């Protein structure tokens, strides 16, 4: 009788009690879940990358370095979503509340994201206080820009995708060499090819058309 | 009398390339000028800004497939010609003679010598043919890279999308300007071909004009006894009407794109 009761209790416990902790991967292995869901499937806003000064501890161990600082992000824990932790880059600017972003950053609204798709500055940079994109808890910090900003529209965006320059530098300017050198060189190589092609063929075609007019006239006179 | 310069297969390639190129030009320029009325007019037949991109991508894939089929075609042609040299007078591959012909042609333009006797392909035609190759590699390659930026950025850093976009755009402008200004002017505007060179369409090229311009080729065909096989009477009226309709539609669209592009250039969001 005791054995039977014990067996029934064990069966009931297996059915009714929650899974053992090893099955609760969200608690047991947060960074694994981050990598297996957010990074691969595009499920976002559950985990965040948090900057911590522990990279030096894993000097040389690239795998551990990569996984370091990834932890669960929820309402109570998230620093990137909580703007309390941000510095205010615009602190001290007179009449700041009455200014628009483009008053001080006029060129930054001239990009395809803003003009074509109507994306406002705050949709990416967030509300007040607006911190530098290099601030630890900024959503635009390169460590989390892809998950917290890009993926709003580009589901599945990864860190490499966030390297696309939304505020693209003018490719013709020499200063672009400092930010995206390939863009500068590719632009001028392509322009050189186009200019050489037209420098040869536009006068060639024009001269040909003009010459044929006289050629025909001469032929007709001979006839 | 008319002279058949191109085979049916070659004319079909040209027609498909022409139609797909015009669709790409219209949708691409339309999106580039999306903020202007000019751009909106171009995008309207394709369902607006977003749908035009779908057309642009699908037709881009079609062009790459067409390019692949053409590569297979030229391989078959090259294998058939193995007994003869692929650098022979019928070859589209540029050679030293083309350079000499170009110099002589320029000399004729400035009145220094007689018009050179061209062979089957003029140097400008060889340039046009190989320009499509280089354009297809550059525009097609960058277009494929831009097809899905999420996948592309998994292979290359995200800033390469900025670079690919500029290369795609400049090469496309170069291709459009070359086709709509230079190719159209040579094929339609010069007195030799005015109002349209029908060599690629129904009926073929005018034999008398070909005798004057391609004297070397015509005399070779006469020597080989092949001239009669390549000549025929002109096409019927419907064929003529369809040829002119296609040709002039392409010119009108090309001119609209070029003029609209220049006039609205300052409104582009780069």
């Amino acid at each position: 009788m005791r054995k039977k009761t014990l067996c029934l209790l064990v069966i009931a416990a297996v059915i009714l009690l929650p899974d053992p902790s090893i099955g609760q991967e969200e608690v047991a292995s947060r960074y694994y879940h981050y990598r297996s869901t957010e990074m691969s499937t595009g499920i976002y806003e559950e985990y965040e990358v948090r900057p911590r000064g522990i990279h030096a501890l894993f000097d040389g161990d690239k795998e551990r370095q990569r996984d370091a600082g990834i932890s669960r992000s929820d309402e109570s824990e998230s620093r990137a979503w909580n703007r309390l932790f941000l510095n205010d880059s615009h602190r001290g600017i007179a009449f700041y509340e009455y200014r628009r972003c483009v008053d001080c950053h006029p060129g930054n609204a001239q990009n395809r994201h803003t003009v074509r798709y109507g994306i406002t500055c705050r949709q990416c940079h967030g509300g007040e206080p607006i911190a530098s994109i290099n601030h630890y808890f900024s959503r635009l910090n390169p460590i989390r820009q892809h998950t917290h900003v890009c993926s709003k529209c580009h589901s599945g965006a990864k860190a490499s995708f966030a390297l696309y320059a939304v505020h693209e530098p003018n490719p013709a300017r020499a200063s672009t060499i400092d930010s995206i050198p390939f863009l500068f060189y590719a632009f001028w190589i392509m322009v050189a090819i186009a200019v050489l092609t037209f420098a040869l063929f536009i006068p060639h075609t024009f001269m040909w058309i003009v010459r044929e007019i006289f050629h025909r006239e001469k032929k007709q006179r001979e006839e | 009398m008319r002279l058949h310069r191109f085979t049916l297969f070659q004319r079909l390639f040209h027609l498909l390339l022409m139609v797909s190129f015009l669709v790409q030009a219209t949708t691409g320029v339309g999106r580039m000028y999306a903020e202007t009325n000019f751009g909106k007019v171009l995008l309207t037949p394709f369902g607006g800004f977003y749908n035009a991109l779908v057309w642009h991508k699908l037709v881009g894939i079609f062009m790459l497939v067409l390019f692949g089929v053409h590569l297979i075609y030229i391989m078959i042609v090259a294998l058939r010609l193995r007994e003869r040299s692929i650098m022979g007078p019928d070859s589209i591959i540029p050679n030293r003679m083309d350079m000499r012909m170009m110099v002589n042609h320029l000399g004729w333009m400035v009145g220094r010598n007689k018009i050179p006797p061209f062979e089957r392909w003029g140097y400008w035609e060889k340039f046009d043919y190989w320009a499509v190759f280089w354009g297809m590699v550059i525009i097609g390659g960058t277009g494929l890279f831009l097809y899905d930026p999420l996948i592309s950025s998994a292979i290359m850093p995200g800033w390469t999308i900025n670079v690919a976009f500029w290369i795609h755009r400049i090469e496309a402008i170069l291709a459009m300007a070359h086709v709509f200004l230079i190719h159209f002017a040579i094929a339609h505007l010069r007195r030799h071909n005015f109002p349209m060179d029908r060599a690629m369409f129904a009926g073929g090229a005018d034999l008398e004009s070909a005798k004057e311009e391609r004297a070397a080729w015509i005399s070779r065909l006469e020597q080989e006894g092949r001239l009669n096989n390549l000549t025929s009477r002109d096409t019927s009226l419907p064929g003529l009407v369809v040829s002119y309709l296609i040709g002039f539609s392409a010119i009108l669209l090309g001119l609209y794109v070029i003029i609209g592009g220049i006039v609205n250039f300052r409104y582009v969001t780069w």
Side-chain angles (χ1 to χ4, degrees):
Chain A
M1 185 64 188
R2 278 187 184 175
K3 279 183 182 175
K4 205 174 178 180
T5 310
L6 197 63
C7 283
L8 284 172
L9 280 172
V10 169
I11 290 167
V14 168
I15 294 169
L16 298 173
L17 289 177
D19 291 340
S21 64
I22 197 165
Q24 296 172 11
E25 59 172 333
E26 286 193 6
V27 176
S29 181
R30 290 170 177 174
Y31 73 88
Y32 176 77
H33 196 171
Y34 170 82
R35 290 180 58 200
S36 65
T37 59
E38 185 165 313
M39 287 177 77
S40 60
T41 64
I43 300 168
Y44 297 103
E45 301 181 5
E46 286 188 31
Y47 293 83
E48 71 161 342
V49 181
R50 190 183 281 181
R52 286 185 178 158
I54 53 176
H55 288 190
L57 296 175
F58 307 126
D59 195 23
D61 187 345
K62 287 191 175 173
E63 193 137 336
R64 292 190 72 189
Q65 263 187 23
R66 193 184 58 206
D67 298 336
I70 297 171
S71 63
R72 189 181 168 87
S73 158
D74 56 31
E75 282 182 17
S76 61
E77 206 177 347
S78 170
R79 304 253 171 137
W81 293 115
N82 191 338
R83 308 200 76 79
L84 269 176
F85 295 96
L86 291 174
N87 281 348
D88 186 358
S89 299
H90 301 106
R91 187 182 297 164
I93 295 175
F95 307 112
Y96 177 67
E97 309 84 72
Y98 305 106
R99 291 172 187 256
R100 296 185 313 141
C101 303
V102 288
D103 291 344
C104 300
H105 307 281
N108 286 1
Q110 286 302 311
N111 61 74
R112 285 185 295 280
H113 276 68
T114 309
V115 177
R116 296 273 162 87
Y117 304 99
I119 295 169
T120 60
C121 307
R122 291 188 189 280
Q123 279 177 282
C124 296
H125 290 271
E128 299 299 331
I130 298 170
S132 154
I133 62 164
N134 294 318
H135 188 273
Y136 268 2
F137 299 116
S138 168
R139 280 192 276 176
L140 283 167
N141 188 306
I143 60 173
R144 68 170 72 79
Q145 183 185 340
H146 57 297
T147 59
H148 287 62
V149 181
C150 302
S151 61
K152 284 180 181 178
C153 301
H154 305 279
S155 178
K158 294 187 176 155
S160 168
F161 181 83
L163 293 173
Y164 171 78
V166 172
H167 299 290
E168 191 178 70
N170 185 337
R173 287 196 180 152
S175 56
T176 305
I177 297 175
D178 300 330
S179 49
I180 312 177
F182 271 97
L183 183 62
F184 175 80
Y185 294 118
F187 174 84
W188 282 112
I189 288 169
M190 292 308 297
V191 168
I193 291 171
V195 168
L196 282 174
T197 306
F198 293 129
L200 178 67
F201 278 98
I202 286 179
H204 169 272
T205 309
F206 179 74
M207 281 163 61
W208 193 357
I209 289 169
V210 172
R211 183 68 179 86
E212 276 207 4
I213 294 169
F214 294 108
H215 179 69
R216 277 290 172 101
E217 280 178 350
K218 191 181 171 187
K219 195 184 162 195
Q220 280 164 3
R221 272 205 305 275
E222 282 168 1
E223 281 169 2
Chain B
M1 292 292 279
R2 311 296 296 186
L3 176 66
H4 295 288
R5 289 186 58 208
F6 300 98
T7 64
L8 182 66
F9 216 54
Q10 289 164 345
R11 283 185 284 160
L12 188 65
F13 271 129
H14 180 263
L15 184 69
L16 291 174
L17 180 67
M18 186 185 93
V19 173
S20 52
F21 182 81
L22 289 173
V23 171
Q24 293 302 77
T26 311
T27 49
V29 172
R31 281 181 61 88
M32 192 168 155
Y33 289 83
E35 289 80 41
T36 65
N37 284 332
F38 162 65
K40 285 178 183 131
V41 167
L42 289 177
L43 292 176
T44 302
F46 297 95
F49 184 73
Y50 292 100
N51 291 332
L53 183 61
V54 178
W55 278 94
H56 197 77
K57 286 181 176 182
L58 291 178
V59 177
I61 296 292
F62 172 78
M63 285 182 94
L64 286 173
V65 171
L66 189 68
F67 184 57
V69 172
H70 187 74
L71 290 178
I72 295 167
Y73 166 79
I74 56 173
M75 271 190 269
I76 292 168
V77 170
L79 284 173
R80 273 188 176 180
L81 285 174
R82 62 187 165 186
E83 290 165 14
R84 287 181 278 168
S85 168
I86 57 162
M87 293 299 289
D90 280 318
S91 174
I92 195 86
I93 298 172
N95 52 38
R96 250 183 276 171
M97 182 61 90
D98 291 314
M99 191 54 82
R100 209 177 302 157
M101 283 289 172
M102 186 178 170
V103 172
N104 287 343
H105 199 209
L106 288 169
W108 168 75
M109 287 178 204
V110 294
R112 293 192 65 172
N113 48 271
K114 285 184 177 179
I115 187 163
F118 288 107
E119 248 295 342
R120 185 174 180 185
W121 312 114
Y123 63 89
W124 69 95
E125 289 168 323
K126 289 187 179 182
F127 180 86
D128 280 0
Y129 179 80
W130 291 105
V132 176
F133 266 74
W134 122 45
M136 203 62 100
V137 170
I138 297 177
I139 304 184
T142 51
L144 213 53
F145 190 76
L146 294 166
Y147 190 91
D148 189 339
L150 285 171
I151 296 172
S152 310
S153 63
I155 304 163
M156 301 279 278
W159 54 262
T160 53
I161 296 168
N162 296 80
V163 179
F165 199 33
W166 272 100
I167 294 174
H168 191 79
R169 214 158 28 183
I170 297 172
E171 182 60 31
I173 291 169
L174 167 61
M176 283 186 289
H178 187 83
V179 170
F180 298 152
L181 292 176
I182 293 163
H183 180 69
F184 280 6
I186 290 173
H188 295 264
L189 208 57
R190 66 192 176 98
R191 224 170 146 172
H192 199 94
N193 289 333
F194 192 81
M196 183 176 133
D197 182 1
R198 283 194 284 126
M200 268 295 183
F201 297 92
D206 179 43
L207 181 61
E208 291 309 309
S209 296
K211 276 181 180 172
E212 194 180 333
E213 188 168 79
R214 294 169 209 277
W217 184 43
I218 299 295
S219 67
R220 184 165 62 88
L221 287 176
E222 279 174 339
Q223 278 173 8
E224 292 172 2
R226 293 196 294 141
L227 185 61
N228 284 340
N229 295 338
L230 291 175
T231 51
S232 67
R233 299 184 69 177
D234 204 350
T235 185
S236 59
L237 188 66
L240 206 64
V241 170
V242 170
S243 293
Y244 278 121
L245 205 63
I246 294 172
F248 289 136
S249 304
I251 294 176
L252 284 176
L253 181 60
L255 286 178
Y256 181 72
V257 167
I258 282 287
I259 294 168
I262 293 168
V263 170
N264 293 284
F265 193 73
R266 62 203 157 126
Y267 302 116
V268 177
T269 304
W270 294 101

